[in-house]
Amino acid sequence: MTESNLGSAEVVTISFHDISSGADLDRQIEQAFSFSGLGLVLIEGYPEFAEKREAVLREIRKFALLPEEVRERYARPECSYSFGWSHGKEKMKSGVPDLAKGSFYARPHGDVVEPDGSPRKQQFPETYADNIWPSEESPGLEHAFKEMSRVQMEIGHHMCRLFDRYLNKITATASQPHQLDTFYNMVKDSVAYKGRMLHYYPVEPEVNSAIDGLCGWHLDHGCITSLLSPLYLDLAGNTLPKPADCGLYVKVRETVQSTRWTSQQTV
């Protein structure tokens, strides 16, 4: 992918009031997620969103800057690092370990969903293992994560209802129309989805020279992903303005669209 392939696109933006009030948003859903859409939407106007977002992003930074031996106490190789801390275990492109960022994974809707010794927990620890929290070394991390997760789950549930309503409408005359609440129930009733807190470490300029230098091109798995806009900080933890070339880059068939949003929004 080269600079000549880059473009910039307007992102559909919807207020939290509209997605939670039953407003008719079929046009916006079609614009964002149809064949010509980017596959994403920005949600704005959630009460106290900015405070919760900054809290969780600062908490994961605090944990990521703890000594390595402390962080590694919360690494879980027995569940393929799918819960707790992970750094350098994931390979995003060309088989190269991803050292640019550290991740802390947790289930947002329950620390324990299967009893010890259950067949599902033993067979699928990547999904059914327990959350692990650094309660002594980083006491604010769990609370900040769960507060932000509640917001993202609420937004996600509203969006799933909108997807279901739109798909039900456009397939109404089909032999097998899309059933209302299909996506909504799939997400609401699941215990499989995860939250992932990310911290990007300082890197040399050449590491970030490629468009996917900090995170190789990839597909998320699942029917919906909720992202927070990043928090840019200097080495002392002071807030910085967003660099001009930073943003979420999205492959749309033969092109790449770069999208940018303010620190008050989610996607």
Side-chain angles (χ1 to χ4, degrees):
M1 194 61 61
T2 65
E3 292 292 333
S4 62
N5 297 109
L6 292 177
S8 184
E10 288 295 320
V11 180
V12 174
T13 301
I14 308 175
S15 72
F16 175 74
H17 174 269
D18 283 348
I19 70 168
S20 59
S21 66
D24 183 356
L25 299 172
D26 286 348
R27 180 182 62 82
Q28 290 91 329
I29 295 299
E30 183 172 272
Q31 183 182 352
F33 296 99
S34 65
F35 185 80
S36 59
L38 288 175
L40 59 88
V41 65
L42 293 175
I43 307 300
E44 63 180 6
Y46 191 99
E48 300 181 358
F49 175 86
E51 294 86 349
K52 295 178 187 295
R53 166 188 162 273
E54 180 156 352
V56 72
L57 294 179
R58 287 192 176 276
E59 286 295 334
I60 186 55
R61 175 181 180 271
K62 291 178 186 176
F63 180 84
L65 296 180
L66 290 172
E68 182 179 4
E69 63 269 19
V70 175
R71 288 179 275 132
E72 288 301 315
R73 293 175 198 159
Y74 299 93
R76 304 282 300 279
E78 69 275 14
C79 60
S80 304
Y81 302 96
S82 294
F83 287 87
W85 177 247
S86 175
H87 183 221
K89 309 301 189 297
E90 190 174 22
K91 296 179 180 179
M92 293 301 294
K93 62 176 183 177
S94 305
V96 178
D98 180 10
L99 297 173
K101 63 179 177 290
S103 305
F104 199 103
Y105 296 91
R107 185 185 300 104
H109 48 289
D111 288 333
V112 180
V113 295
E114 285 284 326
D116 289 340
S118 75
R120 287 206 302 180
K121 195 171 194 175
Q122 292 179 334
Q123 186 175 2
F124 305 109
E126 295 85 359
T127 299
Y128 297 109
D130 300 346
N131 284 344
I132 182 172
W133 296 108
S135 301
E136 294 184 7
E137 300 91 344
S138 189
L141 187 67
E142 178 181 358
H143 176 74
F145 171 83
K146 290 180 177 179
E147 283 290 295
M148 191 68 252
S149 294
R150 276 192 279 270
V151 174
Q152 291 177 273
M153 286 192 293
E154 182 181 359
I155 291 172
H157 292 164
H158 286 306
M159 291 304 301
C160 285
R161 284 194 183 278
L162 292 173
F163 298 152
D164 285 326
R165 191 169 66 188
Y166 172 75
L167 291 170
N168 176 261
K169 177 181 177 180
I170 66 172
T171 62
T173 60
S175 58
Q176 292 184 315
H178 180 86
Q179 298 299 306
L180 290 174
D181 290 340
T182 297
F183 283 135
Y184 172 73
N185 287 330
M186 184 187 304
V187 172
K188 178 181 67 68
D189 297 337
S190 173
V191 296
Y193 54 88
K194 298 278 184 63
R196 180 185 190 184
M197 293 174 281
L198 291 171
H199 174 74
Y200 285 83
Y201 291 100
V203 295
E204 297 299 326
E206 57 268 22
V207 175
N208 199 24
S209 60
I211 186 174
D212 61 343
L214 291 183
C215 186
W217 292 113
H218 64 281
L219 298 174
D220 285 354
H221 57 279
C223 70
I224 185 171
T225 299
S226 176
L227 301 174
L228 301 181
S229 54
L231 182 66
Y232 297 95
L233 303 170
D234 64 18
L235 294 179
N238 301 308
T239 305
L240 295 172
K242 185 179 74 63
D245 59 347
C246 288
L248 175 66
Y249 289 84
V250 182
K251 276 191 177 182
V252 185
R253 296 167 187 86
E254 298 304 319
T255 64
V256 175
Q257 304 291 347
S258 65
T259 71
R260 299 180 172 87
W261 63 90
T262 73
S263 62
Q264 305 305 312
Q265 297 170 313
T266 186
V267 56

